[in-house]
Amino acid sequence: MFKVLVTDNISDLGLSTLVEAPDVRVEKKTSLTNEQLLLEIEDADALLVRSQTQVTAEILEKAHRLKVIGRAGVGVDNIDVEAATKRGIIVMNAPDGNTISTAEHTFAMLISLSRNIPQAFRSTVRGEWKRKEYVGVELKGKTLSIIGLGRIGAELALKAKAFRMNVVAFDPYLTVARAEELGVKKASFDEAIRLGDFISVHTPLTKETRHLVNSEVFHQMKDGVRILNCARGGIIDEHALVAAIQSGKVAGAALDVFEVEPPQPDHPLFLLPQVIVTPHLGASTVEAQENVAIDVAEEVLHVLREEPFKNAVNLPSLSAELQKKIGPYLPLVEKLGKFSSQLATGAVQKMIITYGGVVADLEVSALTRALLSGVLSQHLDGINQVNAPHVAKNRGIDVMEQKASASHGFTQLITVDITTSRGKTTVSGTLLNGFGARITKVNGYAVDVVPEGHILHITHQDQPGVVGKVGTILGNDKVNIATMQVGRETIGGQAIMLLGIDKGIDIIALNHLRESGVVNEVKLIEL
């Protein structure tokens, strides 16, 4: 009999799957003190929480039987995931249950923004009757640009189409087939920004998307554009948004999330009448709270019964024997995934992972998951080695795993081929005894690169003076070169240069390289 301890207020409907299971005993004990939780957790097989219970390393030390922690929601900030992972405890959340709720809230904000509903309400209850001041705009025929077409973005697109809006979307994983299925126009980021009468962001908050919408991006937009963010605070540069509204570039903004929550009462955005705000209500519906509880309860039951599961936010523990065999390869495949994803351009459509040499004799499914996680995590948050295949399938990405006896002179060789809407990228890597992971080939060019730190990938014509000019440009921009690898197929033909640099490089230095006349393409890869 499995003991499932529930320490936060989770709906009885959400828990029904566990309550009705013959091999489960549910104990719902809310408002426990830390000392009480330390006692209750000792014999628990599973723990279900929302955001109130703090699942600390101290708590987990007492959790001698705990197999899984279920979070009835998305965020796991109240759970020490690292401590759980070290103890082989699976931490899972419920990312799908609030899709409809958040999409509906975003569309409610869109309509409110177009018709000035909150502003008109405040005016009317003050006894005013200012019909001419609150003239709005119709949605029909307007263009909605959606930045990030995941679950919520796709649901928002369907709602906008019902109001006869034109919908364009940017997403690094959006394929033409998926765009056609949703009835939206696939666009680049710059195109989506330029075309939108309304722009709604639905990306995760990552290093790449923080301040994705900034002063430079606002400058590219239509005059009178309206902005929405019901995704994550920080995607939009709030100071730049204030300036864009004050200048008249942006006609209005609707925000459910902020860079710091809760925001200060004197936040500059609150002083602007063109702005409407809500206190992070995207997932705040009865249905959403029940859905996330149902989802996480079902997945917890799968874990307890050792059945297939998804939505784990950490890596499930491997057997000692399997860990010993594949453990050394996990850092290599993760770096291969991150390297190849950053090198590729366009929406990923297909991946082929080939294992050669001695690694081909192993059970490699965990390696494939780790590599796929490395690829997807460059553009999506919440990706891990358990849910990466599920996410790839939902986004229409074909993933193939194959084995080959040939390893091209290496004891073992792992190769990833990524096909995107704009071409193909191939990267190979190996483990060198005593030296660790190495990237051995990039798009057909033989190299020997340690996959770590900041790497500049440069394509150029093989001719005298290129290396010197690149080095001079970087030196002038105070960028120190730590390592260098060059590769070519024929004398005087196309070549690549891989430079390990001591620190990141800003856009000005990158533009200096691009404008040098000796470089065809340059990309910064960060590992």
Side-chain angles (χ1 to χ4, degrees):
M1 181 73 69
F2 298 113
K3 173 184 172 179
V4 177
L5 178 64
V6 181
T7 58
D8 288 333
N9 287 317
I10 298 175
S11 73
D12 292 336
L13 176 61
L15 295 174
S16 60
T17 299
L18 293 168
V19 171
E20 296 168 5
D23 52 347
V24 171
R25 182 179 80 256
V26 175
E27 295 188 11
K28 191 172 184 179
K29 299 182 178 182
T30 59
S31 303
L32 294 176
T33 65
N34 192 67
E35 290 71 22
Q36 290 171 328
L37 181 55
L38 285 169
L39 293 174
E40 292 291 342
I41 200 69
E42 287 187 350
D43 61 345
D45 297 283
L47 173 66
L48 262 64
V49 301
R50 290 183 65 187
S51 57
Q52 289 79 17
T53 300
Q54 298 300 309
V55 188
T56 63
E58 179 190 14
I59 297 297
L60 295 174
E61 285 179 8
K62 298 291 185 179
H64 305 303
R65 291 176 48 181
L66 199 64
K67 301 175 181 64
V68 56
I69 302 168
R71 164 69 164 94
V74 179
V76 291
D77 295 344
N78 57 314
I79 301 170
D80 191 330
V81 178
E82 183 178 355
T85 301
K86 288 179 180 178
R87 294 180 172 276
I89 300 168
I90 298 169
V91 180
M92 52 178 41
N93 62 356
D96 298 327
N98 62 1
T99 297
I100 299 299
S101 176
T102 304
E104 287 183 352
H105 187 74
T106 305
F107 202 76
M109 296 283 269
L110 191 154
I111 294 176
S112 297
L113 190 60
S114 69
R115 300 304 296 270
N116 303 301
I117 292 173
Q119 297 92 328
F121 166 78
R122 288 194 297 265
S123 173
T124 304
V125 297
R126 287 197 300 262
E128 301 169 345
W129 195 257
K130 298 182 177 180
R131 298 178 63 193
K132 293 183 179 179
E133 283 194 21
Y134 298 113
V135 175
V137 295
E138 292 184 357
L139 299 183
K140 177 186 175 183
K142 299 298 190 301
T143 296
L144 170 64
S145 291
I146 301 176
I147 309 300
L149 202 70
R151 299 182 307 274
I152 295 169
E155 190 66 35
L156 177 63
L158 296 175
K159 290 170 171 47
K161 293 289 291 182
F163 276 69
R164 291 186 283 178
M165 297 186 77
N166 303 313
V167 182
V168 300
F170 164 74
D171 188 298
Y173 293 106
L174 178 61
T175 62
V176 173
R178 177 60 172 162
E180 291 177 350
E181 177 186 345
L182 292 171
V184 307
K185 177 184 177 182
K186 182 178 181 294
S188 67
F189 177 76
D190 289 342
E191 288 172 333
I193 290 299
R194 289 196 304 268
L195 292 173
D197 298 298
F198 293 81
I199 298 176
S200 186
V201 294
H202 294 279
T203 71
L205 182 63
T206 66
K207 179 177 60 178
E208 290 76 19
T209 62
R210 179 172 291 279
H211 289 183
L212 177 68
V213 181
N214 50 43
S215 57
E216 182 180 341
V217 173
F218 280 123
H219 182 71
Q220 300 175 45
M221 296 179 185
K222 288 182 178 180
D223 291 340
V225 67
R226 290 170 170 85
I227 307 295
L228 300 101
N229 184 7
C230 295
R232 291 288 185 269
I235 298 171
I236 296 175
D237 183 336
E238 292 175 356
H239 294 294
L241 176 58
V242 169
I245 293 173
Q246 290 174 335
S247 71
K249 184 70 175 183
V250 173
L255 306 174
D256 185 47
V257 291
F258 300 88
E259 294 193 44
V260 177
E261 294 185 355
Q264 293 297 315
D266 60 350
H267 194 296
L269 283 168
F270 295 173
L271 304 177
L272 300 173
Q274 303 93 329
V275 176
I276 61 177
V277 295
T278 49
H280 208 144
L281 297 180
S284 295
T285 62
V286 172
E287 293 85 356
Q289 295 306 311
E290 288 183 349
N291 288 339
V292 295
I294 292 170
D295 288 351
V296 78
E298 290 177 348
E299 292 304 310
V300 163
L301 187 58
H302 289 319
V303 173
L304 294 177
R305 292 175 173 175
E306 298 185 353
E307 298 170 347
F309 59 90
K310 59 183 181 179
N311 296 332
V313 299
N314 62 345
L315 178 67
S317 57
L318 303 173
S319 68
E321 181 181 3
L322 184 57
Q323 176 67 47
K324 184 177 180 180
K325 290 180 178 178
I326 70 168
Y329 295 100
L330 288 170
L332 168 64
V333 295
E334 183 180 4
K335 293 294 181 66
L336 280 176
K338 291 181 176 180
F339 186 99
S340 57
S341 179
Q342 293 178 68
L343 188 59
T345 56
V348 178
Q349 299 171 336
K350 183 178 181 180
M351 287 178 55
I352 301 176
I353 305 164
T354 304
Y355 299 94
V358 296
V359 70
D361 297 326
L362 302 177
E363 167 53 53
V364 296
S365 59
L367 297 180
T368 296
R369 292 197 304 268
L371 196 152
L372 184 58
S373 174
V375 170
L376 297 178
S377 64
Q378 296 307 297
H379 300 286
L380 304 170
D381 66 354
I383 300 298
N384 57 74
Q385 296 171 20
V386 174
N387 65 10
H390 176 72
V391 172
K393 181 179 179 181
N394 283 350
R395 288 180 170 264
I397 302 172
D398 292 328
V399 180
M400 296 178 59
E401 182 184 284
Q402 60 186 26
K403 296 183 177 183
S405 57
S407 54
H408 303 282
F410 297 96
T411 305
Q412 63 275 312
L413 190 71
I414 301 173
T415 299
V416 54
D417 293 287
I418 297 180
T419 301
T420 74
S421 56
R422 298 179 60 182
K424 184 176 180 180
T425 298
T426 304
V427 180
S428 299
T430 190
L431 290 179
L432 295 180
N433 189 24
F435 295 95
R438 288 291 193 277
I439 292 176
T440 60
K441 187 168 284 191
V442 177
N443 288 331
Y445 298 99
V447 294
D448 181 11
V449 175
V450 178
E452 62 183 30
H454 313 280
I455 299 173
L456 283 177
H457 177 275
I458 298 172
T459 59
H460 61 93
Q461 199 73 20
D462 180 37
Q463 59 186 17
V466 174
V467 173
K469 190 162 187 177
V470 168
T472 299
I473 292 170
L474 293 176
N476 290 338
D477 286 315
K478 309 300 182 184
V479 178
N480 190 53
I481 299 173
T483 62
M484 174 183 289
Q485 278 286 308
V486 294
R488 66 181 184 183
E489 291 184 331
T490 59
I491 297 175
Q494 290 292 311
I496 67 168
M497 190 186 309
L498 292 169
L499 305 178
I501 56 178
D502 288 342
K503 60 181 181 179
I505 184 172
D506 60 30
I507 189 65
I508 295 175
L510 286 173
N511 286 336
H512 287 163
L513 285 173
R514 292 172 179 138
E515 296 164 1
S516 65
V518 298
V519 168
N520 296 332
E521 185 182 26
V522 57
K523 286 188 176 182
L524 175 62
I525 297 172
E526 296 186 305
L527 302 173

